[in-house]
């Protein structure tokens, strides 16, 4: 990295996707005016619930940090300038630009080059007050040919405006799990920017369970040819919750791969999920392969899932590109099949929902997290499966 | 001695142009120990018969009855019918992602018998049942029917038949789409099931081919939503030679 001064860096690393779907990324706050909610990227978001997030409310508050670090993994504080000099992806919107500008420096978690750790690196960030706005910048740097599993877990109550960068060195192998396990009153708006080095392999799992409003922009760019991304996500959206994941995979290097699979279950009045999956295949990105899919299960009336896959292709010299999106209720045929083997209706529903998510959860590879997520699936099911099956039986008996 | 009795069964399905009657008064009784073959041309309502007995929500019973040992099935839910002793092997078994074959079978067995099967013997039983139909042990861990070939799905249905061992089984065109080896393996599974002597089988098929392997006690020719002729295995032989034309033409004249 040769650039050091902030303004120059901002110029130098600024990327301008041709995509009309993404505003230009920039460290400069002036490039990110306060949105009015009619912009393409903000139109799904309930702006009124984001008071204070856009208007640069000053705050020195931080989340509580708890880390579990395998030997050789280092955490230290760095300045904003140092973070930018590391080559972190530039902020994509006003909140993430504010996070970088106002966090007062970043926490850097470093897995040195060549280090292979089997135990997961766990970073737990805990909010303590839903009334306090917190700006936070976290940078994960995985050295060349290193191998690691990282769990970034958010808990508690807060209003969190965040920038997370994941820099993956060449030939490295990373599993990255991001958990939004917030309390019900939390608002979290952030950007997770990933840069994947030459021939590196990255598997991510984003799980958003809690929070009143969670809006994450997850971007991926490649820092050399041959990089591979597998990106999984799951979310449970309950009454009144807004959970939004906006993904952007920028195939800016040849022979790179991306696979995206996000799944959500919604229940309750006003439960709203948004999934936007943008893929840009640049003219230089020959021989790439990409596939994106999003599936939503609507468990009750009154919930809404927006699902928008977009594919922009600037070269035809590719191996493959596709996407799919499905949103629906329980599959009657699946329920019929299971029930025709004697399995009661509530148990059949349980199996179907469980299976829907287990497909993704079993890829995480961190037993403690898998257990936590499976328990969360069970908890979601209690609400719809237990009582509703009971009342159905009652009705049937009353009718007969 | 158990008995599955179908009396004057009438069934409708909802179509774009309103309800349409598919089954127009079906009469048929299967007793335990008997193998009945229902043969008929495409569109005659054979599958509708299978699915409406099992309780598929798409079909509405508008008249007649289906009883299992005196219990009216149409008053029972889908899973209650299964627990009463009914099994349907489907023509197109459904894929259920993320639900393993082993977990599915254990859940079904638990639901049917009212208690969880013993872990030690159950795993062995499942693997043995899968292997008997030519599915290796890895299938237990795979998602139910997901990515299975057509033949593998049918074999899996028969493995379920043997493991769950219902009083009455309806096989809906289990033979369709099977190559000769798979057909033999599937038939052997069905014969192991019926050879217990106290099980009833309703074999729905379009082709006589499977009757080279599974010998029916009774053959029913099914045309235009009801049984038009009944006989023994010799009726199947006649169909092999003459086809369904004669019956289809007769049905048209009647109409």
């Amino acid at each position: 990295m040769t650039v050091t001064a902030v303004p120059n860096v901002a110029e130098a690393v600024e990327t301008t996707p041709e995509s009309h779907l993404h505003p230009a990324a920039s460290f400069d706050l002036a490039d990110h005016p306060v949105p009015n909610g009619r912009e393409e990227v903000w139109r799904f978001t309930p702006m009124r619930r984001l008071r204070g997030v856009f208007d640069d409310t000053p705050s020195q508050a931080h989340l509580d940090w708890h880390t579990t670090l395998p030997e050789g993994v280092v955490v230290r504080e760095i300045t904003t300038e140092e973070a930018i000099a590391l080559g972190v992806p530039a902020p994509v919107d006003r909140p993430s630009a504010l996070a970088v500008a106002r966090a007062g420096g970043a926490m850097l978690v470093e897995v040195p080059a060549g280090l292979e750790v089997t135990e997961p690196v766990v970073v737990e960030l805990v909010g303590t007050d839903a009334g306090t706005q917190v700006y936070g910048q976290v940078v994960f740097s995985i050295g060349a040919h290193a191998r690691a599993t990282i769990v970034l877990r958010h808990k508690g109550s807060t209003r969190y405006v965040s920038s997370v960068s994941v820099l993956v060195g060449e030939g490295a192998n990373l599993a990255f799990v991001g958990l939004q396990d917030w309390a019900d009153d939390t608002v979290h708006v952030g950007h997770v920017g990933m840069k994947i080095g030459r021939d590196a392999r990255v598997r991510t799992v984003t799980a958003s369970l809690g929070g009143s409003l969670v809006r994450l922009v997850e971007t991926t760019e490649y820092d050399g040819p041959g990089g591979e991304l597998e990106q999984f996500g799951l979310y449970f959206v309950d009454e009144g919750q807004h959970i939004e994941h906006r993904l952007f995979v920028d195939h800016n290097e040849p022979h790179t791969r991306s696979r995206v699979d996000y799944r959500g279950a919604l229940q309750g009045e006003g439960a709203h999920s948004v999934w936007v999956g943008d893929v840009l295949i640049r003219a230089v990105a020959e021989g790439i392969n990409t596939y994106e899919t999003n599936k939503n299960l609507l468990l009750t009336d009154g919930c809404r899932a927006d699902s928008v896959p977009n594919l922009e292709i600037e070269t035809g010299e590719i191996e493959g590109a596709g996407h799919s999106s499905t949103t629906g209720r329980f599959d009657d045929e699946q329920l019929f099949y299971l029930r025709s083997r004697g399995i009661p209706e509530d148990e059949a529903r349980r199996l179907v929902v469980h299976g829907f998510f287990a497909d993704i959860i079993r890829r995480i590879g961190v037993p403690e997290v898998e257990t936590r997520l499976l328990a969360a699936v069970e908890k979601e099911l209690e609400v719809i499966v237990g009582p509703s099956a009971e009342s159905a039986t009652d009705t049937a008996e009353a009718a007969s | 001695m158990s008995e599955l009795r179908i009396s004057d069964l009438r069934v409708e399905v909802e179509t774009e142009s309103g309800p349409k009657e598919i089954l127009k008064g079906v009469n048929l009784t299967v007793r335990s120990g008997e193998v009945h073959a229902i043969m008929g041309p495409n569109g005659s309502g054979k599958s509708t018969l299978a699915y409406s007995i099992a309780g598929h929500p798409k079909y509405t019973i508008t008249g007649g009855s289906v009883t299992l040992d005196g219990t009216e099935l149409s008053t029972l839910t889908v899973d209650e019918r299964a627990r009463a002793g009914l099994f349907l092997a489907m023509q197109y078994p459904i894929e259920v992602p993320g639900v393993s074959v082993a977990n599915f079978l254990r859940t079904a067995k638990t639901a049917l018998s009212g208690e969880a099967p013993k872990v030690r013997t159950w795993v062995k039983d499942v693997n043995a049942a899968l292997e008997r139909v030519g599915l290796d042990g890895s299938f237990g861990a795979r998602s139910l029917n997901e990515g299975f070939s057509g033949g593998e799905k049918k074999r899996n249905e028969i493995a379920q038949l043997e493991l769950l061992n219902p009083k009455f089984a309806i096989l809906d065109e289990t033979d369709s789409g099977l190559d000769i080896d798979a057909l033999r393996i599937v038939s052997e599974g069905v014969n192991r099931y019926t050879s217990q002597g106290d099980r009833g089988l309703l074999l729905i098929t379009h082709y006589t081919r499977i009757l080279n392997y599974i010998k029916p006690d009774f053959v029913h020719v099914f045309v235009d939503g009801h049984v038009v002729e009944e006989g023994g295995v010799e009726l199947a032989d006649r169909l092999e030679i003459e086809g369904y034309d004669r019956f289809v033409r007769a049905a048209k004249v009647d109409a």
Side-chain angles (χ1 to χ4, degrees), chain A residues 159-303:
Chain A
R159 295 175 71 79
Y160 188 42
V161 182
S162 69
S163 164
V164 172
S165 305
V166 184
L167 308 173
V168 187
E170 65 175 47
N173 192 316
L174 171 70
F176 185 87
V177 181
L179 280 179
Q180 284 61 247
D181 208 354
W182 297 112
D184 289 345
D185 52 2
T186 287
V187 170
H188 178 193
V189 180
H191 171 212
V192 181
M194 191 140 44
K195 197 181 259 187
I196 301 180
R198 181 186 186 108
D199 297 330
R201 299 173 69 120
V202 177
R203 191 176 76 233
T204 67
V205 178
T206 298
S208 299
L209 314 176
S212 157
L213 188 159
V214 174
R215 183 186 190 276
L216 292 180
V217 180
E218 303 179 86
T219 63
T220 301
E221 60 195 271
Y222 297 86
D223 203 16
E228 269 189 48
L229 169 71
E230 271 189 299
Q231 198 164 20
F232 299 103
L234 55 96
Y235 43 92
F236 307 135
V237 192
D238 293 339
E239 191 177 334
Q241 258 188 316
H242 178 92
I243 304 272
E244 180 166 351
H245 296 99
R246 309 184 67 90
L247 281 70
F248 178 42
V249 179
D250 187 351
H251 279 281
N252 56 338
E253 292 281 350
H255 301 289
T256 49
R257 301 174 74 84
S258 64
R259 280 279 175 286
V260 172
D261 185 347
Y262 274 53
R263 300 183 190 185
L266 295 86
Q267 60 180 322
E269 200 60 40
H272 187 196
S273 74
V274 179
W275 179 86
V276 177
D278 293 344
V279 175
L280 173 62
I281 303 170
R282 294 180 188 259
V284 297
E286 295 190 355
I288 68 102
N289 196 317
T290 176
Y291 196 86
E292 301 217 333
T293 177
N294 175 229
K295 298 191 184 90
N296 296 293
L297 203 48
L298 305 178
L299 300 175
T300 66
D301 288 332
C303 39

Side-chain angles (χ1 to χ4, degrees), chain A residues 333-334 337 339 341-342, chain B residues 56 79 83 88 95 157 160:
Chain A
E333 295 298 326
Q334 287 181 348
Y337 186 71
R339 295 179 70 196
R341 300 307 186 244
Chain B
H56 194 285
D79 43 290
R83 293 199 294 276
L88 170 62
E95 300 188 0
E157 294 289 281
Q160 291 173 41

Side-chain angles (χ1 to χ4, degrees), chain B residues 19-32:
Chain B
K20 183 174 185 230
E21 186 170 62
I22 307 285
L23 300 188
K24 303 170 180 177
V26 181
N27 291 294
L28 184 65
T29 299
V30 183
R31 293 180 187 83
S32 46

